[in-house]
Amino acid sequence: MSTIQAPSLTKTARPKTASQPQQIARRRAPATGAVARRILFGSGAIIIFLIAWEVLPLVLLSDSARVFLPPLHQVLSALWQLITSGELLVHAQASLGRSLAGFILAILIGVPAGLMIAWYPRAKSFLNPLLEVFRNTAALALLPVFTLILGIGEISKVAIVLFAAFFPVLLNTILGAQGVDPLLIRAARTLGLTNLEIFTKVILPSAVPTIFTGIRMAGTASVLVLIAAEMIGAKAGLGYLITNSQASFLIPQMYAAILTVSILGFTVNTGLVALERRFSRWNRH
């Protein structure tokens, strides 16, 4: 007679699986490592440059020559003194206020003007020779004119920044608006969209990447032109700090101010790139 075996009451051992937080952490670990390697590789040239700035003056230059090219640690020490004393903040606020005022005015005037000129081709044909003349005129070449007409105060410095930043915004806006695919405009007209709807829903979104290219160029120009203008006639600002430090033979402080300008320009460009990605996210494939 065959015997019927009772079912076993012991539970079959199951393989242990990692909890969900552990799985997420394991997935994130390779991604975090890849991001860290990418950041390190991208900043490798800057790191090498800073190391060379520290080592080469100590190794290659004599004590007398090192006065004119101090090693990095002396520059950073002077930068820290400027920060802790509050002097750097005063000059940076003066420069940022002037640059930001001219830069915003250039955008507020240049983008609408560029869109209107692109919308009316005859206006572009009429204004193009004049725009080319001013576009190829260096902003600093007109600094004496702005100073004579507007004085040596804040208005002349904001005006020179406005002039330098206006034309990159204007010309790239025209280029972006005129580069819209005619088939898109024709399709929009077929769907019954009005001119205003075509302008706001087709032309303007398509022109955003090119417009932001001009805005980035204007952001860089607004900082560099202002620094040069402050070197000629100003009582505050990073350009004034550079020339005053050089005249007072405070060479590490001069390099600290130059380093601040570089960091400021890099920060402005990085912020504009992030803003461009935010507004043109739909255009990335």
Side-chain angles (χ1 to χ4, degrees):
M1 181 180 293
S2 61
T3 60
I4 300 175
Q5 296 180 351
S8 176
L9 297 178
T10 59
K11 295 182 179 179
T12 306
R14 295 181 180 178
K16 293 182 178 180
T17 58
S19 61
Q20 187 175 2
Q22 291 176 340
Q23 293 177 353
I24 295 175
R26 290 176 182 176
R27 286 196 298 266
R28 286 181 178 176
T32 305
V35 172
R37 287 192 297 270
R38 187 162 60 248
I39 293 175
L40 183 61
F41 180 79
S43 58
I46 296 178
I47 295 174
I48 294 173
F49 171 75
L50 295 178
I51 293 174
W53 188 356
E54 173 65 24
V55 174
L56 294 182
L58 296 173
V59 174
L60 300 179
L61 300 182
S62 62
D63 292 340
S64 58
R66 203 177 301 147
V67 173
F68 302 101
L69 184 60
L72 181 61
H73 75 273
Q74 294 183 9
V75 176
L76 294 179
S77 177
L79 179 61
W80 179 248
Q81 292 177 2
L82 289 172
I83 293 174
T84 54
S85 66
E87 185 178 359
L88 184 66
L89 180 62
V90 172
H91 293 293
Q93 284 179 339
S95 294
L96 281 175
R98 296 161 182 161
S99 295
L100 192 61
F103 178 61
I104 291 177
L105 286 174
I107 295 175
L108 294 178
I109 299 173
V111 172
L115 293 173
M116 293 302 295
I117 292 173
W119 186 255
Y120 298 103
R122 297 183 67 179
K124 179 179 182 298
S125 300
F126 178 75
L127 295 174
N128 188 62
L130 182 63
L131 295 177
E132 288 296 324
V133 169
F134 280 108
R135 183 176 72 91
N136 291 286
T137 302
L140 292 177
L142 297 176
L143 180 59
V145 178
F146 283 100
T147 303
L148 287 174
I149 296 176
L150 302 175
I152 60 174
E154 299 297 313
I155 297 179
S156 62
K157 295 175 181 58
V158 173
I160 195 71
V161 172
L162 171 60
F163 179 86
F166 173 74
F167 288 98
V169 175
L170 176 72
L171 297 175
N172 278 274
T173 301
I174 295 173
L175 181 63
Q178 289 185 333
V180 179
D181 191 350
L183 293 177
L184 293 177
I185 300 177
R186 198 173 304 167
R189 294 190 186 278
T190 304
L191 293 174
L193 271 67
T194 63
N195 287 337
L196 181 60
E197 291 174 333
I198 293 173
F199 187 79
T200 56
K201 296 181 179 181
V202 178
I203 294 179
L204 185 58
S206 300
V208 163
T210 309
I211 292 175
F212 264 100
T213 300
I215 291 175
R216 287 175 56 191
M217 296 170 60
T220 303
S222 65
V223 174
L224 298 180
V225 169
L226 176 66
I227 298 302
E230 289 176 342
M231 290 180 176
I232 298 174
K235 295 182 179 180
L238 294 174
Y240 167 80
L241 180 60
I242 293 172
T243 54
N244 185 60
S245 299
Q246 186 268 340
S248 303
F249 212 70
L250 301 173
I251 305 303
Q253 182 173 293
M254 181 192 73
Y255 280 103
I258 295 172
L259 186 61
T260 303
V261 173
S262 301
I263 295 173
L264 178 62
F266 176 78
T267 304
V268 169
N269 184 71
T270 302
L272 291 176
V273 169
L275 194 63
E276 178 184 2
R277 291 176 179 173
R278 174 69 177 84
F279 279 95
S280 60
R281 184 180 302 171
W282 61 271
N283 198 42
R284 299 200 304 269
H285 299 285

